[in-house]
Amino acid sequence: MINVIGLGYIGLPTALMFAKSGIKVVGTDFNEKLVNSLCQGELTFEEEGLEELFQAANGNGIKFTTEYQKAHTYIIAVPTPFLKDSKKLDPKYVISAVNSVLDVCERGAVLIIESTVSPGTIDKYIRPEIEKRGYVIGEDVHLLHAPERIIPGNMIYELEHNSRTIGADNEEIGEKVKGLYANFCKAEIVVTDIRSAEMSKVVENTYRDINIAFANELAKICHTDNMDVYEIIRIANMHPRVNIMQPGPGVGGHCISVDPWFLVGDYPDLTNLILAARKINDSMPRHVLGLIRDIMREHDIKDISKVGLYGLAYKENVDDTRESPTLQLLERMDEHLAFGVKVYDPFVKERIVDHQFMNFEDFLNEIEILVVMVGHDHIKNNMDLIKNKIVLDTKNISSFEGVYKL
Ligand code: SAJ
């Protein structure tokens, strides 16, 4: 039996995949409301293919509870909050989950940490927690790190098709856990040591952050001299060894905008490029604000409440708003300017900011300038409704006459 700890964006789909493949699974989360919803057959977030997977797992008897289970294998997928001031990871939830597992687990239990952690976290914080109880790692408890790699919006596909990394202290246990994941993962599974697994995960996200920062810097250069950054990237990418990503209003989410800081924090003298990329991406909401001001000036619009931001999620077709560029933009707007700016996101059903609309048409009726911050399919399918607005499209999803871009 596998006890999956943490039933959020990563833990839940992972638990469901194991259950679908026929393994007995119990999912544990300390959030009672979440557990109750799952027990009643209700999902708590949207994701392509999740509903079908949920039904298949329920059919195979998956259980959800707030209690830790006596099990042989544990997968820990709890949040790893980012401390904004120190730019460091806070391992408190992982530590607490490990301790709760140790309270109930069988001797020889396998403890797999899937949460992304900064390189060195497992040696520094997790091993000591286990050892201080008198357990011998590798005998009483096996400790592994199998960082998740799936992308919100395509999680279910990627769970099956992305390669995985298993960090283990020895090859034998690494191979065993590889066999476990092979129940649903059809791609290559690499066994390595724990530190390399921690580091490679953070490196992957840092690479993406740097690539996006390059695109964003190009957008700023092109804007200055009236060049079309999208056309330039499109042409450059036709070169067989060039693959530049797309500029945008900023980099959000809990991964790409967070993980590079772990390297900057631990190696401040060696991370000039990584830090520069972070700063460029973090500067984008301010850049968008500058563009909004220019457009207001050009059209002689003085009232910021005539501006509407479309999209609160951190990217297209998800409801996750963590570190979202729109929230960053709202934070950066000085209070006078922010007063009254309108916001709408079809995926975000709870009111989380002032002047947030729940209905698209009501939102459109109130504004003159529409700023596309997120390229949800919803707006792509409603282009006709926005054509009579002044549109600043930061996601390059439209092609009609007069639209402003980055
Ligand atoms: N973005 C751009 N331009 C692009 C692509 C993305 O500005 O060309 C922006 C998005 O709009 C968003 C941010 O970057 O605000 C991050 O989105 P994303 O789609 O690049 O990545 P995440 O954060 O959803 O997921 C990433 C993935 N990592 C990599 O692709 C290397 C995913 O595979 C990881 O599992 C995930 O981080 C994680 O949990 O670490």
Side-chain angles (χ1 to χ4, degrees):
M1 193 254 274
I2 302 180
N3 189 194
V4 176
I5 315 299
L7 298 172
Y9 289 106
I10 301 301
L12 181 67
T14 306
L16 299 179
M17 283 302 260
F18 276 117
K20 187 187 166 197
S21 69
I23 295 173
K24 188 167 178 236
V25 177
V26 178
T28 298
D29 199 295
F30 64 25
N31 180 342
E32 248 174 72
K33 207 172 143 210
L34 168 77
V35 168
N36 286 341
S37 299
L38 293 171
C39 289
Q40 281 159 23
E42 284 162 28
L43 285 168
T44 47
F45 65 96
E46 290 181 31
E47 177 68 35
E48 169 105 39
L50 189 62
E51 186 65 53
E52 293 81 347
L53 180 59
F54 189 41
Q55 278 166 20
N58 277 325
N60 280 356
I62 190 169
K63 299 255 175 320
F64 303 103
T65 168
T66 53
E67 305 288 323
Y68 284 70
Q69 304 295 301
K70 195 170 191 63
H72 192 262
T73 301
Y74 295 86
I75 293 179
I76 296 183
V78 294
T80 41
F82 175 58
L83 301 168
K84 281 204 172 124
D85 293 340
S86 66
K87 309 275 186 221
K88 291 214 181 286
L89 169 125
D90 183 350
K92 66 179 175 191
Y93 294 121
V94 185
I95 291 175
S96 149
V98 167
N99 275 303
S100 301
V101 165
L102 294 175
D103 287 341
V104 296
C105 70
E106 294 169 2
R107 189 170 186 277
V110 176
L111 216 164
I112 306 163
I113 294 169
E114 275 213 22
S115 311
T116 302
V117 293
S118 56
T121 297
I122 291 182
D123 280 349
K124 193 168 168 196
Y125 297 104
I126 308 302
R127 283 187 204 278
E129 289 297 318
I130 300 174
E131 284 161 352
K132 81 181 178 205
R133 289 185 173 227
Y135 289 118
V136 177
I137 297 173
E139 285 179 23
D140 301 318
V141 175
H142 297 281
L143 181 62
L144 296 101
H145 181 42
E148 59 82 14
R149 275 173 151 179
I150 51 178
I151 199 154
N154 199 26
M155 284 178 162
I156 312 303
Y157 176 87
E158 292 203 349
L159 271 169
E160 193 175 336
H161 298 277
N162 276 11
S163 92
R164 294 197 74 107
T165 318
I166 309 284
D169 287 341
N170 65 67
E171 218 179 309
E172 194 191 335
I173 187 72
E175 288 297 325
K176 262 196 193 153
V177 169
K178 175 175 165 173
L180 182 69
Y181 280 97
N183 275 295
F184 65 79
C185 174
K186 303 295 170 234
E188 188 176 343
I189 302 176
V190 178
V191 177
T192 183
D193 60 280
I194 288 180
R195 187 67 184 244
S196 300
E198 290 176 320
M199 185 68 177
S200 54
K201 163 69 202 218
V202 169
V203 164
E204 289 157 17
N205 281 351
T206 303
Y207 165 78
R208 197 160 166 86
D209 198 43
I210 292 171
N211 194 334
I212 298 169
F214 180 53
N216 281 334
E217 188 152 276
L218 291 179
K220 287 183 178 175
I221 294 171
C222 290
H223 181 76
T224 308
D225 267 328
N226 214 11
M227 294 179 270
D228 180 346
V229 68
Y230 302 103
E231 176 69 351
I232 289 157
I233 291 177
R234 188 179 74 80
I235 295 168
N237 281 349
M238 290 168 110
H239 185 289
R241 284 176 295 283
V242 175
N243 190 10
I244 308 166
M245 295 183 58
Q246 294 299 304
V251 169
H254 186 59
C255 311
I256 308 261
S257 67
V258 168
D259 296 359
W261 285 116
F262 300 154
L263 297 176
V264 174
D266 286 343
Y267 306 96
D269 299 334
L270 302 172
T271 43
N272 297 335
L273 173 66
I274 298 169
L275 179 60
R278 268 295 64 243
K279 284 186 177 167
I280 293 166
N281 289 337
D282 273 353
S283 76
M284 290 313 285
R286 193 181 294 278
H287 180 64
V288 173
L289 184 54
L291 301 179
I292 297 172
R293 281 192 175 125
D294 291 347
I295 295 168
M296 287 177 75
R297 217 170 289 128
E298 191 183 326
H299 291 269
D300 201 24
I301 296 172
K302 298 203 169 59
D303 180 2
I304 191 76
S305 72
K306 291 288 158 204
V307 175
L309 306 177
Y310 177 91
L312 261 170
Y314 82 92
K315 68 171 188 178
E316 63 284 358
N317 304 327
V318 302
D319 59 7
D320 187 346
T321 58
R322 288 176 296 174
E323 322 296 328
S324 101
T326 304
L327 292 177
Q328 293 179 39
L329 175 60
L330 289 170
E331 263 172 40
R332 274 166 184 74
M333 286 179 153
D334 54 75
E335 278 189 6
H336 170 69
L337 192 61
F339 183 73
V341 69
K342 310 276 190 300
V343 187
Y344 173 74
D345 190 311
F347 280 86
V348 181
K349 309 263 164 43
E350 271 175 55
R351 210 172 290 276
I352 58 168
V353 292
D354 289 342
H355 311 290
Q356 182 183 342
F357 282 66
M358 293 296 149
N359 178 289
F360 188 44
E361 289 183 9
D362 292 348
F363 165 73
L364 288 180
N365 287 337
E366 294 284 325
I367 60 169
E368 286 179 53
I369 300 175
L370 176 81
V371 185
V372 177
M373 296 291 289
V374 183
H376 290 311
D377 286 349
H378 165 265
I379 195 156
K380 291 185 184 157
N381 297 332
N382 279 297
M383 281 295 164
D384 284 350
L385 296 178
I386 68 168
K387 276 186 183 154
N388 63 342
K389 302 287 169 197
I390 302 162
V391 177
L392 168 58
D393 171 8
T394 70
K395 295 301 291 183
N396 193 30
I397 56 164
S398 54
S399 55
F400 52 84
E401 189 75 13
V403 62
Y404 294 89
K405 302 233 172 145
L406 279 183

